[in-house]
Amino acid sequence: MNALWLENNKISLRDISQQRKPNEALIKIRKAGICSTDLELVKGYYPYTGVIGHEFVGNVIEADDASWIGQRVVGEINVVCNQCEQCLNGRSTHCEHRTVLGIVNRDGTFAEFTNLPIANLHRVPESVPDEMAVFTEPLAAALEIQDQIQIKPTDRILLIGAGRLGQLIAQTLALTGCNLRVIARHEQQQKLLKARGIKIISEEDVQPWRWDVVVEATGSPSGFSLARKAVRPRGTMVLKSTYKGDMNVNFSSIVVDEINLIGSRCGPFEPALRLMESKQVDPTVLIAEEFKLSEALKAFERAAETGVLKVLVEP
Ligand SMILES: [Zn+2]
Ligand SMILES: [Zn+2]
């Protein structure tokens, strides 16, 4: 099959063999999305060789359980052992032996087919089209915030960053009824937020020590220091993006102000699908362009352009 292969910071189209793995389902990809993690993998921020891509919607074509065959599905990206201490204690996304679709030791979704265990799959409701379902994974990641902390309707929440993930975080946080403001750098990002009635704020207008919760979704040291400045004493900082290399942080001030620091990664798929089914969230507004898998290199160039949100790839 045709697949987008990453090796030594270079992506290229390759013809590789892909068969069903024992005890897993073979899935035919319908659409796959390019995420910031993919762009970072190509830059070499994490060591990985193989087929990249982890956001997808597809059809099960082979599986041990025949009731899944033909089903349109999305899939959780962490494939876990169910036996280690993390798995046995309900923290399976932190499995000590996990592989991660298109990120750690497991071929991903910019390909004609991919493999995942049935336990990772979720059926997509009929009313959710492919171009929406392909966002399930990042939307679930956005919802991890609400899974981790209680958000009160009276909370003042600052979201820093309105890119691919930031837009989805903004849409889901807005549903909580909290007092939300978003820092969005690009005009297109601002336009999308305004269209949903989400208020934006400029960096200069962010009052220091006033925000109950600050969500940092830029993955940049400047985003982190702005978040640190904005959060109130005993407030919470939610970190949604990884940072390149090590960061220089004044931890004494975090101790003195008794700040809660929360790292936040993969989230729940079912609520993500429900929010799209009930049309409370619409990720399709993020789509900039769609490419064929044979043009995947072009698709990656497009996704790397400033201000471009979601680029989709279709085999
Ligand atoms: Zn992603
Ligand atoms: Zn495990």
Side-chain angles (χ1 to χ4, degrees):
M1 66 165 185
N2 223 358
L4 188 64
W5 188 266
L6 171 66
E7 192 168 343
N8 299 326
N9 301 0
K10 264 214 151 80
I11 43 174
S12 60
L13 282 165
R14 276 197 191 181
D15 190 17
I16 62 163
S17 81
Q18 175 75 296
Q19 275 136 19
R20 180 160 78 101
K21 291 188 182 176
N23 305 316
E24 297 195 4
L26 184 66
I27 299 153
K28 189 174 195 314
I29 302 292
R30 296 168 68 95
K31 282 187 199 300
I34 301 178
C35 125
S36 305
T37 305
D38 298 317
L39 299 173
E40 286 168 7
L41 280 164
V42 176
K43 283 186 204 153
Y45 290 0
Y46 315 99
Y48 173 71
T49 299
V51 179
I52 57 171
H54 55 273
E55 302 175 0
F56 77 97
V57 54
N59 288 104
V60 175
I61 53 165
E62 284 177 37
D64 291 335
D65 178 349
S67 72
W68 282 88
I69 294 172
Q71 297 287 311
R72 195 163 60 106
V73 296
V74 289
E76 296 189 41
I77 66 175
N78 299 286
V79 178
V80 305
C81 74
N82 291 315
Q83 281 164 13
C84 72
E85 188 171 321
Q86 310 309 327
C87 284
L88 294 176
N89 286 284
R91 298 183 291 264
S92 63
T93 56
H94 294 273
C95 170
E96 293 163 24
H97 310 294
R98 71 183 182 268
T99 59
V100 187
L101 189 64
I103 300 173
V104 183
N105 290 329
R106 171 171 284 269
D107 282 338
T109 60
F110 296 122
E112 290 171 69
F113 303 95
T114 200
N115 273 289
L116 272 179
I118 290 285
N120 284 52
L121 303 182
H122 298 262
R123 290 181 172 87
V124 179
E126 226 169 274
S127 65
V128 176
D130 287 345
E131 54 269 27
M132 202 177 254
V134 73
F135 286 90
T136 309
E137 194 275 333
L139 184 57
L143 289 169
E144 175 72 352
I145 299 171
Q146 286 89 317
D147 226 29
Q148 290 174 303
I149 59 167
Q150 190 197 0
I151 291 167
K152 300 189 196 124
T154 47
D155 276 345
R156 294 170 85 171
I157 303 200
L158 177 67
L159 167 62
I160 304 174
R164 295 175 182 93
L165 185 55
Q167 291 285 335
L168 301 177
I169 295 171
Q171 286 198 22
T172 52
L173 283 179
L175 297 175
T176 68
C178 69
N179 192 356
L180 174 67
R181 294 289 183 282
V182 183
I183 298 181
R185 216 175 253 177
H186 302 287
E187 210 184 302
Q188 169 71 357
Q189 299 175 345
Q190 297 177 355
K191 226 175 77 188
L192 292 178
L193 295 170
K194 282 181 190 160
R196 294 191 73 87
I198 297 170
K199 293 186 174 141
I200 52 182
I201 186 170
S202 68
E203 205 174 314
E204 306 79 64
D205 291 339
V206 170
Q207 315 90 317
W209 293 293
R210 288 292 176 274
W211 302 81
D212 300 298
V213 178
V214 181
V215 178
E216 207 296 287
T218 68
S220 71
S222 63
F224 183 93
S225 39
L226 178 61
R228 172 62 198 95
K229 215 167 69 187
V231 71
R232 65 159 166 83
R234 291 197 182 149
T236 299
M237 287 170 70
V238 180
L239 308 179
K240 271 316 293 187
S241 293
T242 53
Y243 298 90
K244 190 187 169 191
D246 295 334
M247 276 218 301
N248 210 342
V249 177
N250 180 340
F251 268 99
S252 296
S253 80
I254 288 174
V255 174
V256 172
D257 288 346
E258 301 186 322
I259 303 300
N260 302 301
L261 263 186
I262 297 188
S264 184
R265 181 169 42 94
C266 296
F269 270 48
E270 285 302 324
L273 286 165
R274 258 197 319 272
L275 286 179
M276 291 189 289
E277 190 182 17
S278 60
K279 308 213 162 21
Q280 293 184 76
V281 161
D282 180 12
T284 60
V285 294
L286 274 71
I287 300 171
E289 203 170 341
E290 233 176 294
F291 290 84
K292 287 277 171 203
L293 180 60
S294 56
E295 301 174 316
L297 297 179
K298 249 202 248 167
F300 265 71
E301 277 174 29
R302 180 85 171 104
E305 285 171 22
T306 333
V308 169
L309 293 169
K310 188 61 74 178
V311 171
L312 300 181
V313 175
E314 180 182 271

